[in-house]
Amino acid sequence: MKNIPLLNQLIAQFERLPGIGAKSAQKMAYFVLSGDKSRCEEFAKVLLAAKEGIHYCEKCHGLTDREVCDICADKTRDAATICVVEQPGDIEAVEKMKEYHGQYHVLHGLISPLSGVGPDELTVRSLLERVANEDIKEIIMATNPSVEGQTTALYIAKLLKPFGVRVTALALGIPVGGSLEYTDAATLSSSIENRKEL
Amino acid sequence: MKNIPLLNQLIAQFERLPGIGAKSAQKMAYFVLSGDKSRCEEFAKVLLAAKEGIHYCEKCHGLTDREVCDICADKTRDAATICVVEQPGDIEAVEKMKEYHGQYHVLHGLISPLSGVGPDELTVRSLLERVANEDIKEIIMATNPSVEGQTTALYIAKLLKPFGVRVTALALGIPVGGSLEYTDAATLSSSIENRKEL
């Protein structure tokens, strides 16, 4: 099989997808090749149409097929709060909770000097412009609680200080349904530090 | 995000791939949408080109971009032995071992009355024709050791009886590097039954 260049190219394409190794990529390639031609054509068509039709919202930089995304365009939502997330997919996670009704801002990455990603590679400037021009009261930093996520949150919080806006971060602690026995020391320490009065 | 039809279509396409759930499909869609347009176009192009250019070998029904695949066309290989496998990917697994130098025959499925797959849906007739017309000495049934795999192997072995050809199946036993403690009873029973003289 090794010397079918088209097959190897197809496997390589699947291998580029996140979380897909050599074995899964091979499985996917065989799946596509053994299926109907029309299904494969539809796959290619949807791939191109989605890439063509979906772009970033000019305001929050989330994904949309219009100029401004549904969330930014929704007048019933709280316009004074912005939840800052790393990727468009994170909006989905926060929305699922159904308890947050403010705006979003997608950074499209985290500050990571080792990977050569500085604030200019992210949408930080656009966030500052929003805070300067709109009537924003609170910025909730909802980046992942990793080293890069926390660095990015602190960096942006520092930039926002002069605007006099309230900047908060998600609480760190033991997850609901979790067990103390399997909670790492850093999480446990944070949950003790931020303990609540009952 | 939910109301971007193109995004949902793209996620649905990824979800159809084997082993991909809703979460992974979403991740893949975001990955494609956040990447370069040229990369996405290349993905679609390779997908169509592979589907267009790769088909089944007329002889063994494995994948090839020519009329007859490299293995069937290779005159240095043993033409008297056919290894019967379920899918084209299984050929790769046997070839990796580098100890088998015969021919192959891909069934493209297993007999499964519950799923409505009978011998006519597979390439069984073509296998019988090969045995009738070529000088075949041995057929190695290398279907998976599942109920369907073993049923299929026994069924084909029965059909091959009149041709007077030797039909063998892969040995069942404990895998190299495995542990007795975690071996299931059926495998252990088979490995005891087929024990070898030292």
Side-chain angles (χ1 to χ4, degrees), chain A residues 90-171:
Chain A
D90 296 335
I91 295 183
E92 188 94 337
V94 180
E95 282 297 285
K96 247 188 200 151
M97 173 182 67
K98 289 187 180 150
E99 279 178 33
Y100 176 73
H101 304 290
Q103 305 295 311
Y104 289 95
H105 193 88
V106 181
L107 293 174
H108 287 291
L110 295 173
I111 296 174
S112 168
L114 284 177
S115 323
V117 181
D120 293 341
E121 272 76 44
L122 312 178
T123 61
V124 175
R125 187 170 308 193
S126 151
L127 176 64
L128 296 182
E129 277 167 18
R130 285 180 77 179
V131 175
N133 301 329
E134 298 170 30
D135 188 20
I136 307 295
K137 294 216 167 49
E138 180 174 355
I139 302 281
I140 303 174
M141 296 302 308
T143 49
N144 284 330
S146 59
V147 174
E148 280 98 351
Q150 290 182 314
T151 309
T152 308
L154 286 175
Y155 176 84
I156 293 176
K158 216 172 157 187
L159 289 180
L160 290 171
K161 256 233 164 114
F163 294 97
V165 69
R166 187 180 174 212
V167 184
T168 54
L170 296 187

Side-chain angles (χ1 to χ4, degrees), chain A residues 1-4 13 16 20 28 30-33 35 37 39 42 51-52 56 63 70 89 92, chain B residues 1-4 13 16 20 28 30-35 37 39 42 51-52 63 70 89 92:
Chain A
M1 301 307 221
K2 287 280 179 223
N3 36 14
I4 308 179
Q13 288 293 334
R16 281 189 45 234
I20 299 304
M28 288 175 177
Y30 286 132
F31 172 81
V32 166
L33 292 175
K37 200 181 165 190
R39 287 204 147 186
E42 200 198 322
K51 187 69 190 169
E52 185 68 38
Y56 297 141
L63 295 174
D70 285 351
E92 188 94 337
Chain B
M1 302 308 222
K2 286 281 181 223
N3 36 15
I4 308 179
Q13 287 293 335
R16 281 188 46 234
I20 298 303
M28 289 176 177
Y30 287 131
F31 172 81
V32 166
L33 293 176
S34 68
K37 200 181 164 189
R39 286 205 150 184
E42 198 198 323
K51 187 68 191 171
E52 185 68 39
L63 295 174
D70 285 351
E92 188 94 336

Side-chain angles (χ1 to χ4, degrees), chain B residues 158-198:
Chain B
K158 215 171 157 187
L159 288 181
L160 289 171
K161 260 244 160 99
F163 294 97
V165 67
R166 187 180 173 212
V167 184
T168 54
L170 296 186
L172 295 176
I174 42 172
V176 176
S179 104
L180 282 195
E181 194 181 352
Y182 294 108
T183 303
D184 62 292
T187 303
L188 209 53
S189 142
S190 174
S191 74
I192 291 229
E193 196 185 321
N194 301 301
R195 64 193 180 278
K196 276 174 68 180
E197 207 77 48
L198 286 181

